[in-house]
Amino acid sequence: MTIKMIAIDIDGTLLNEKNELAPATIEAVQAAKAQGIKVVLCTGRPLTGVQPYLDALGLSGDDQYAITYNGSVSQTVSGKMMTNHSLSFDDYIDLEALARKMQVHFQIETPDFIYTANKDLSGYTIFESYLVRMLIRYREVGEMDRDLTISKAMFVDDPDIINRVNKEIPQDVRDRYYVVQSTPFFIEVMNKKASKGNTLGELATKLGFTADEVMALGDQGNDLTMIQYAGLGVAMGNAIDEVKDAAQAVTLTNAEDGVAAAIRKYALK
């Protein structure tokens, strides 16, 4: 198997336990790039939250790519859109009403801002704003612009509330959208066509690669689809059991430079 594309989740995978990019990981990614392998960061973050790592890894220009918003968008790292699976304003209305019914904090993310109708901001919304370097806008539902591009919606709250909500989301909502719990305090809701795996497949096809030429690395539920898509799905040592069970291989943890170890073992010539 010749690896021509490496898809890497960021949080819990590319970054170590201190949310830092380790020197060994930078070296391995740059070695892969030098051999002509496309390294694609695949994340729930928007591009603003990916940029510092792209810069550190030396990934720039219209011939390098990122998958953002958990698969809602694929784009060049310079911002040129490749695929876009967004939510409609009607989707926003329905999901915001569901959040109120389930008594859980709710937000949406657009290419420019995080929007919430919760005057009492969740601390996790503030955390997300800091993490992805995107400002928060408080807007009542009636004040929202109907023409917004909505990349994803999120239920955000304490883990015990998120666990309850995950059990209460109606089946027709799961049938209508791609719903995934990405962390203990986030449930993300996206266009049915949006997932890391689906969008990775679309991007690989556009670039002329087959699934057998793709390696994907991840640790959480939102990484499962790309682990299943890739010819070589690699779970981090710190991954949840569901990801490990779906993977063809398990590497070291993110605290042990697992990404670097997998790239050296499976991708570098």
Side-chain angles (χ1 to χ4, degrees):
M1 180 185 295
T2 299
I3 300 300
K4 297 182 179 179
M5 175 185 282
I6 304 173
I8 311 174
D9 169 56
I10 292 182
D11 297 294
T13 302
L14 182 75
L15 304 183
N16 64 20
E17 80 283 11
K18 298 178 182 177
N19 279 329
E20 297 172 342
L21 196 52
T25 302
I26 296 173
E27 292 170 9
V29 168
Q30 291 180 340
K33 180 187 173 187
Q35 292 188 9
I37 299 171
K38 293 294 183 188
V39 178
V40 181
L41 301 189
C42 301
T43 177
R45 302 183 185 210
L47 194 60
T48 53
V50 183
Q51 197 62 55
Y53 309 112
L54 295 171
D55 293 342
L57 295 169
L59 301 174
S60 62
D62 280 339
D63 63 343
Q64 301 294 335
Y65 306 89
I67 291 174
T68 53
Y69 297 108
N70 271 326
S72 292
V73 173
S74 68
Q75 58 201 132
T76 67
V77 299
S78 58
K80 179 182 176 183
M81 196 77 68
M82 301 291 290
T83 58
N84 183 18
H85 302 302
S86 58
L87 296 171
S88 70
F89 189 78
D90 285 343
D91 293 328
Y92 163 72
I93 293 293
D94 292 345
L95 291 168
E96 196 279 334
L98 177 62
R100 280 187 279 118
K101 182 178 180 180
M102 295 191 299
Q103 296 182 306
V104 61
H105 285 88
F106 179 76
Q107 67 190 44
I108 61 169
E109 293 188 9
T110 74
D112 302 306
F113 296 99
I114 296 171
Y115 287 89
T116 181
N118 302 127
K119 187 176 293 185
D120 180 15
L121 282 179
S122 166
Y124 298 107
T125 294
I126 296 170
F127 168 77
E128 174 79 350
S129 172
Y130 173 80
L131 185 72
V132 304
R133 303 184 175 201
M134 187 173 281
L135 295 176
I136 303 167
R137 282 188 167 179
Y138 164 71
R139 295 287 187 276
E140 294 281 1
V141 175
E143 299 173 326
M144 293 288 285
D145 180 356
R146 298 186 66 92
D147 295 326
L148 284 174
T149 298
I150 303 172
S151 298
K152 66 177 180 178
M154 301 173 70
F155 302 118
V156 299
D157 229 304
D158 294 330
D160 57 336
I161 296 176
I162 289 298
N163 287 337
R164 170 182 60 79
V165 166
N166 212 3
K167 298 173 184 176
E168 293 180 358
I169 295 173
Q171 187 58 47
D172 66 309
V173 171
R174 294 186 182 276
D175 293 340
R176 181 176 168 187
Y177 303 105
Y178 171 52
V179 181
V180 63
Q181 182 171 344
S182 56
T183 74
F185 36 85
F186 292 152
I187 295 174
E188 310 200 15
V189 185
M190 290 154 284
N191 185 302
K192 193 69 173 179
K193 294 181 179 179
S195 72
K196 288 186 179 183
N198 182 63
T199 302
L200 178 60
E202 291 176 338
L203 180 60
T205 299
K206 285 178 181 289
L207 298 180
F209 303 142
T210 65
D212 287 342
E213 296 170 317
V214 178
M215 177 169 80
L217 299 102
D219 70 309
Q220 291 296 316
N222 58 329
D223 301 317
L224 185 60
T225 56
M226 72 173 185
I227 294 291
Q228 293 168 330
Y229 161 78
L232 179 57
V234 181
M236 299 298 293
N238 52 287
I240 62 174
D241 289 342
E242 190 176 12
V243 171
K244 288 181 178 178
D245 291 343
Q248 283 76 48
V250 179
T251 186
L252 301 174
T253 69
N254 64 328
E256 302 168 305
D257 301 331
V259 167
I263 290 175
R264 287 194 298 264
K265 183 174 182 178
Y266 301 114
L268 297 184
K269 298 175 184 176

